[in-house]
């Protein structure tokens, strides 16, 4: 169909494309994917479904803690984590928030409040990831450096 349209515009087989006829002479080959498996990036390997989940989620650096926690719950086929606002204090212009996370029947809560709700949720998610052994304990010392979920 494409060749018919090109011939109507003056193109002849064996000629290159473009004003000076120096472009591509061969058509672009299309590779159709026939299986129902997802696309695999270069260097990425398929992971076994059974076995140690922490090995599958070893590299969480660069991910927002709430997103990483959601991924882990999804992979382990758990209900999504439930974030509950436990405490908010301070004047309206300078509140501090504390969230508790309910996950797989257990509750986790950080020991300190955060200056905004987004940071408080991220801190609570980090506490859960630390309890699971997926994030080092020293991350809380640098708790203000969470990566934004919208920035890549």
């Amino acid at each position: 169909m494409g060749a018919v349209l090109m011939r109507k515009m003056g193109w002849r087989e064996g000629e290159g494309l473009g004003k000076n006829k120096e472009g591509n002479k061969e058509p672009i080959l299309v590779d159709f994917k026939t299986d129902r498996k997802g696309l695999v990036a270069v260097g990425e390997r398929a992971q076994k479904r059974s076995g140690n989940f922490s090995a599958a989620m070893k590299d969480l650096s660069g991910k927002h803690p709430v997103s990483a926690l959601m991924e882990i719950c999804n992979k382990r086929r758990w209900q999504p984590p439930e974030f509950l606002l436990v405490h908010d204090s301070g004047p309206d212009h300078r509140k501090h928030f504390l969230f508790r996370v309910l996950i797989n029947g257990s509750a986790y809560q950080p020991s300190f409040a955060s200056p905004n709700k987004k940071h408080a949720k991220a801190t609570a998610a980090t506490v859960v990831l630390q309890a699971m052994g997926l994030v080092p304990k020293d991350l809380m010392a640098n708790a203000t450096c969470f990566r934004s979920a919208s920035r890549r």
Side-chain angles (χ1 to χ4, degrees):
M1 184 174 171
V4 172
L5 291 172
M6 296 291 287
R7 278 191 210 106
K8 283 184 180 180
M9 291 184 252
W11 174 80
R12 284 185 224 113
E13 199 164 330
E15 287 183 350
L17 298 177
K19 185 176 179 181
N20 298 325
K21 300 187 189 318
E22 58 193 33
N24 289 344
K25 294 181 182 177
E26 297 296 321
I28 297 172
L29 298 176
V30 179
D31 186 21
F32 291 100
K33 191 169 167 7
T34 56
D35 61 354
R36 297 197 56 146
K37 296 177 184 175
L39 298 176
V40 179
V42 176
E44 189 176 321
R45 293 187 308 231
Q47 296 175 354
K48 295 178 184 174
R49 291 206 135 227
S50 61
N52 189 358
F53 283 104
S54 63
M57 298 302 285
K58 197 172 189 177
D59 185 23
L60 296 176
S61 62
K63 288 190 181 180
H64 193 275
V66 176
S67 299
L69 187 59
M70 293 285 203
E71 268 186 42
I72 291 166
C73 289
N74 193 22
K75 281 193 185 268
R76 295 184 182 188
R77 300 184 200 290
W78 293 348
Q79 291 293 317
E82 189 176 339
F83 291 89
L84 302 170
L85 181 62
V86 176
H87 182 71
D88 63 338
S89 63
D92 287 341
H93 68 282
R94 197 173 210 179
K95 281 196 179 257
H96 288 282
F97 301 92
L98 187 64
F99 276 90
R100 176 182 296 142
V101 182
L102 299 176
I103 183 169
N104 202 30
S106 301
Y108 301 89
Q109 181 175 324
S111 58
F112 58 90
S114 297
N116 59 50
K117 286 183 177 180
K118 188 175 183 178
H119 190 271
K121 275 187 176 184
T123 304
T126 302
V127 168
V128 176
L129 294 171
Q130 287 174 340
M132 292 178 165
L134 299 173
V135 171
K137 297 278 185 193
D138 62 345
L139 185 65
M140 289 308 271
N142 196 7
T144 58
C145 69
F146 294 122
R147 188 171 185 160
S148 170
S150 61
R151 216 180 336 144
R152 291 270 169 198

